[in-house]
Amino acid sequence: EDQVTQSPEALRLQEGESSSLNCSYTVSGLRGLFWYRQDPGKGPEFLFTLYSAGEEKEKERLKATLTKKESFLHITAPKPEDSATYLCAVYGGATNKLIFGTGTLLAVQP
Amino acid sequence: DGGITQSPKYLFRKEGQNVTLSCEQNLNHDAMYWYRQDPGQGLRLIYYSQIVNDFQKGDIAEGYSVSREKKESFPLTVTSAQKNPTAFYLCASSIDPQGGTKNIQYFGAGTRLSVL
């Protein structure tokens, strides 16, 4: 069964304290892995898409990486405005649909 | 500005009532989607449409209905058959649902539906 698991469920960081969020997946024939940011009460905002193992993408303090089994979202020197829920989703497998994880709630304290 | 507009932002449903959530996009995307988001769960697909006048059931279609009469519009009706409709509903669109860079889904701001 196609599945996406994100960890940790919640993460609290001090401003400037770097860390990583994990997205592990099981899907046959990955055709894309997507990271989104979601603020409370709003729709998800697209951040990155990765298509093959070894690929990396960067945007400001965020860097996404991909292996054959998981993806990491690295946050370098986070600021309070980085606080949000980060969602991971994969496309591929038998269902041909986007499968979402339950997200990681990140809180960055000043 | 190009984007996806969902309305209303908040909606209340009475017992036995059908309600319709609006989703409009001006991105010229072919594919549109409806998701439901509940606390502690990932987004779940309700319905999707790859082309005008065609749509397919997602994983949790029971109690919902859709139409796709125009490329820009994909309204969702929550019927009285949906016994637990309280949730955050998200509409999305993509250029092409078949894969690659064209299936990046962009989301609207959502509609929060509650039962009175």
Side-chain angles (χ1 to χ4, degrees), chain B residues 13 17-19 36 46-47 57 60-66 76-85 89 113:
Chain B
R13 194 190 89 168
Q17 186 182 41
N18 293 352
V19 292
R36 171 178 171 142
I46 304 173
Y47 269 99
K57 292 182 179 180
I60 55 166
E62 186 174 349
Y64 301 97
S65 66
V66 294
L76 173 74
T77 296
V78 183
T79 74
S80 57
Q82 173 49 246
K83 298 306 179 186
N84 183 24
Y89 290 87
L113 176 62

Side-chain angles (χ1 to χ4, degrees), chain A residues 33-48:
Chain A
L33 184 141
F34 303 84
W35 282 99
Y36 289 86
R37 169 192 170 126
Q38 186 175 24
D39 292 306
K42 297 189 177 181
E45 174 190 348
F46 171 73
L47 292 173
F48 304 108

Side-chain angles (χ1 to χ4, degrees), chain A residues 34 36 38 43-44 51 91 97 101-102, chain B residues 37 42 59 97 100-101 103 105 108:
Chain A
F34 303 84
Y36 289 86
Q38 186 175 24
Y51 293 101
Y91 185 79
K97 300 169 191 171
T102 55
Chain B
Q37 187 174 35
D59 300 316
T101 58
N103 76 330
Q105 293 186 20

Side-chain angles (χ1 to χ4, degrees), chain A residues 26-80:
Chain A
T26 53
V27 62
S28 56
L30 179 74
R31 294 202 294 280
L33 184 141
F34 303 84
W35 282 99
Y36 289 86
R37 169 192 170 126
Q38 186 175 24
D39 292 306
K42 297 189 177 181
E45 174 190 348
F46 171 73
L47 292 173
F48 304 108
T49 182
L50 304 165
Y51 293 101
S52 57
E55 190 175 359
E56 299 182 352
K57 294 271 181 75
E58 284 190 68
K59 180 180 179 179
E60 296 181 355
R61 294 176 293 281
L62 301 177
K63 178 180 172 181
T65 62
L66 180 65
T67 72
K68 290 187 177 180
K69 294 183 178 180
E70 58 191 349
S71 176
F72 290 95
L73 185 65
H74 306 277
I75 303 176
T76 302
K79 297 182 178 181

Side-chain angles (χ1 to χ4, degrees), chain B residues 4 25-32 50 68 71-72 92-96 102 104-106:
Chain B
I4 301 170
Q25 55 99 358
N26 60 3
L27 300 169
N28 199 32
H29 286 175
D30 287 315
M32 296 187 75
Q50 296 177 313
R68 185 90 186 273
K71 186 176 183 178
E72 303 79 21
S93 71
S94 65
I95 294 175
D96 182 334
K102 296 182 179 180
I104 296 171
Q105 293 186 20
Y106 297 91

Side-chain angles (χ1 to χ4, degrees), chain A residues 6-13 19-21 84-85 102-107:
Chain A
Q6 291 188 246
S7 62
E9 289 186 8
L11 181 62
R12 182 174 294 179
L13 300 174
S19 188
S20 298
L21 313 183
T85 296
T102 55
T104 293
L105 175 61
L106 175 66

